[in-house]
Amino acid sequence: MERLLFPAPPAPEDLADLLADRPDVRLVVCEVGRLTAPGPADLDRLARLRLAARRAGAELVLRGAGPRLRLLLALTGLDGVLADDDPSTAGPPTVDPSAAGGQPHR
């Protein structure tokens, strides 16, 4: 099983083209630590990357997801689809809502 590592999320179409040329790749690891202020466009891109990987018969895992990204993934339900390969971040994120820009509920 071959594994690809990307230092940043590539464009979904670039990943699809690369995987079409490399059918032996079964795992794509994408470094997402630089996404310190992720937004809807980032979530869309990650979901499209996962779809491109799955269509090519590969799995996509994220590496280095920060607390804000893990929180967004959990809030949108994408945490069950986009896995983080860091075992220390397994499970639901433990994030203080005020640290993610929100206000704690009272």
Side-chain angles (χ1 to χ4, degrees):
M1 171 175 83
E2 191 168 342
R3 175 180 178 161
L4 288 179
L5 174 63
F6 289 93
E13 57 276 4
D14 292 341
L15 179 61
D17 291 343
L18 180 63
L19 291 175
D21 294 337
R22 310 236 348 237
D24 54 329
V25 172
R26 292 289 168 247
L27 182 64
V28 177
V29 180
C30 187
E31 175 62 50
V32 293
R34 294 181 190 171
L35 297 177
T36 56
D42 298 309
L43 293 179
D44 180 64
R45 183 178 196 153
L46 293 174
R48 290 178 185 272
L49 283 172
R50 192 233 182 216
L51 182 59
R54 291 292 298 217
R55 286 181 175 162
E59 288 296 323
L60 175 76
V61 295
L62 307 178
R63 177 182 288 167
R68 289 182 71 145
L69 179 57
R70 288 194 319 270
L71 179 61
L72 279 176
L73 292 171
L75 290 172
T76 59
L78 288 172
D79 59 334
V81 175
L82 293 168
D84 190 331
D85 79 338
D86 181 357
S88 69
T89 62
T94 53
V95 177
D96 175 2
S98 60
Q103 295 296 320
H105 293 286
R106 297 180 191 242

